[in-house]
Amino acid sequence: VNWQIAKTYEDILYHKTDGIAKITINRPHKRNAFRPKTIFEMYDAFCDAREDRNIGVILLTGAGPHTDGKYAFCAGGDQSVRGKAGYVDDEGTPRLNVLDLQRLIRSMPKVVIALVAGYAIGGGHVLHVVCDLTIAADNAIFGQTGPKVGSFDGGFGASYLARIVGQKKAREIWFLCRQYNATEALEMGLVNCVVPVEQLESEGIQWASEILQKSPLAIRCLKAAFNADCDGQAGLQELAGNATLLYYMTEEGTEGKQAFLEKRQPDFRQYPWLP
Ligand code: 2NE
């Protein structure tokens, strides 16, 4: 794959190739734990990928292995910058801006695939949970740590996790803070497939290529429909936004606008009341 650098950042790498963007958390010395700057950069890159009409699939992954040979997708919030009210940025402001990123990944009308090698832990685990699909390397390790380190994610990290693995398993994951290997994750439906670590990226590209051969409008409506089942009014807004988009593309929708601009009554009688 001919990856092109799309933009240069401090904490992440951002690449593009034909139809695919790749966002790589690049703090392997911290097991790719994120600080506020990491999240701002990821948010910026995801916005870019969302706006790019050529991009249909985004791969989210972690840089590695580290010099000690260990891999990580993301080990959650960087505890060394955690202050009294959140993760403290360079200006001293405490933040939980990862929640904004979770919502962006969830609502963007393109497919986001997490490629997990090594640790997906804490807020890093939630990041893969909110991705549309997860491909795990055989060395992947999954788990929440919140109740151990004085934190929790009661949003998507709890409720959407429970939709994926069921209430009992989700409560086990959070209440016991155990770690689960890739096979266990596959068995509980937490990931889509498991591949040898050296095949992780090529498998992600294969999945992306298959998705890119499909209809973009069908995929975006399906993503919104899956979200609408769980996301209340925000989910319905996404789904309904797609209905509006499609309506704007019809002659019937255009007639209303055209009539307004031509200062005449719209003629909707020419359009059928379909059964
Ligand atoms: C990930 C894990 C299990 C890996 O263990 P191991 O033994 O392979 O590595 P080690 O030695 O623990 O970590 C390597 C280096 O990475 C740093 C460590 O401090 C260590 O640094 P040095 O001692 O070499 O200088 N590191 C790893 N994770 C870090 C982190 N999250 N923050 C800062 N430095 C980190 C093991 O490292 C681990 O358990 N990490 C902590 C996982 C964790 O509890 N994450 C936070 C959960 S809370 C959260 O993410 C969150 C939330 O609950 C709500 C909203 C937003 C975020």
Side-chain angles (χ1 to χ4, degrees):
V1 181
N2 187 19
W3 289 115
Q4 304 286 325
I5 295 173
K7 189 171 171 183
T8 306
Y9 296 96
E10 198 174 326
D11 283 9
I12 68 167
L13 306 172
Y14 183 37
H15 293 93
K16 288 181 188 173
T17 189
D18 191 23
I20 309 173
K22 181 172 66 162
I23 297 169
T24 308
I25 308 171
N26 190 23
R27 306 184 80 214
H29 59 293
K30 294 251 185 188
R31 301 282 186 254
N32 293 323
F34 55 78
R35 54 180 174 168
K37 180 190 280 266
T38 322
I39 298 296
F40 280 128
E41 292 182 352
M42 292 172 75
Y43 197 92
D44 187 71
F46 268 105
C47 284
D48 177 87
R50 179 183 179 141
E51 293 300 320
D52 188 334
R53 294 168 66 137
N54 295 316
I55 297 295
V57 178
I58 299 91
L59 304 177
L60 175 60
T61 194
H66 184 44
T67 48
D68 64 5
K70 285 199 179 178
Y71 288 79
F73 172 73
C74 176
D78 185 332
Q79 299 305 296
S80 68
V81 299
R82 188 173 142 190
K84 284 217 174 292
Y87 298 87
V88 180
D89 69 16
D90 292 344
E91 282 76 47
T93 305
R95 298 184 179 277
L96 263 178
N97 55 345
V98 72
L99 303 184
D100 301 330
L101 177 64
Q102 291 175 5
R103 285 197 304 278
L104 175 60
I105 291 172
R106 185 143 174 98
S107 64
M108 65 188 292
K110 305 189 174 187
V111 178
V112 184
I113 306 178
L115 303 182
V116 178
Y119 292 103
I121 296 283
H125 186 258
V126 179
L127 277 181
H128 104 84
V129 164
V130 298
C131 290
D132 297 294
L133 301 163
T134 298
I135 301 176
D138 48 9
N139 67 358
I141 297 172
F142 301 86
Q144 298 295 158
T145 61
K148 216 163 53 176
V149 297
S151 182
F152 65 92
D153 182 336
F156 290 126
S159 61
Y160 186 52
L161 180 68
R163 295 278 186 139
I164 295 171
V165 299
Q167 284 282 341
K168 297 279 184 188
K169 202 71 192 178
R171 286 168 203 233
E172 174 191 314
I173 289 169
W174 273 102
F175 294 172
L176 280 73
C177 297
R178 287 182 181 167
Q179 293 183 352
Y180 302 86
N181 65 31
T183 309
E184 292 167 321
L186 186 63
E187 279 166 3
M188 66 175 107
L190 188 56
V191 305
N192 295 88
C193 71
V194 180
V195 296
V197 66
E198 54 281 359
Q199 283 173 30
L200 184 61
E201 183 171 303
S202 60
E203 188 72 17
I205 289 165
Q206 175 59 32
W207 284 52
S209 306
E210 289 182 40
I211 291 164
L212 289 169
Q213 288 162 23
K214 308 299 184 294
S215 155
L217 275 173
I219 299 285
R220 76 179 278 149
C221 287
L222 279 165
K223 176 162 176 172
F226 283 122
N227 287 355
D229 180 43
C230 315
D231 291 0
Q233 287 199 320
L236 289 174
Q237 186 216 31
E238 267 176 52
L239 191 62
N242 285 320
T244 307
L245 182 156
L246 292 168
Y247 180 56
Y248 279 0
M249 293 163 86
T250 64
E251 275 185 26
E252 183 180 334
T254 305
E255 167 62 11
K257 175 200 73 172
Q258 212 52 38
F260 175 81
L261 292 177
E262 292 168 10
K263 300 189 187 303
R264 62 174 170 81
Q265 285 300 312
D267 176 15
F268 288 121
R269 297 301 297 273
Q270 54 186 314
Y271 302 107
W273 294 85
L274 293 173

